[in-house]
Amino acid sequence: MSTAPDDGVRTPALTERETDVLRLVAKGLSARQIAERLVISHRTVESHVQSTLRKLQLHNRVELARYAIEHGLDGEAAD
């Protein structure tokens, strides 16, 4: 995963599953839709979302989606 432009800030490492969830959040899917697609529970999806928000120091899903788009994570994920 590429980092943001050289702003001196290091991008926190996300797990592969957190990145999968992040890509789908950026596409506008709900927790239940993401859960169906990844074959996990919607509570697990919410756990990944909360963990990602914490790691990236963001406050909500809108900020999370914006982050994903700005970092090129809104494209097709490998299935």
Side-chain angles (χ1 to χ4, degrees):
M1 177 168 83
S2 65
T3 59
D6 190 13
D7 56 6
V9 177
R10 200 167 161 220
T11 303
L14 300 177
T15 66
E16 184 176 341
R17 187 55 98 185
E18 288 168 342
T19 303
D20 293 341
V21 170
L22 178 56
R23 287 179 199 275
L24 296 173
V25 166
K27 290 182 178 187
L29 275 63
S30 71
R32 290 191 187 275
Q33 291 169 320
I34 294 169
E36 283 182 25
R37 186 165 299 183
L38 298 179
V39 193
I40 57 178
S41 79
H42 73 281
R43 290 180 189 227
T44 300
V45 171
E46 288 301 335
S47 176
H48 288 310
V49 168
Q50 290 305 313
S51 175
T52 303
L53 286 169
R54 190 171 44 257
K55 286 181 180 182
L56 299 177
Q57 298 180 348
L58 300 174
H59 300 97
N60 56 52
R61 288 173 64 104
V62 173
E63 290 180 2
L64 200 58
R66 179 176 166 197
Y67 175 92
I69 292 166
E70 288 176 351
H71 289 81
L73 298 174
D74 59 329
E76 287 299 314
D79 287 331

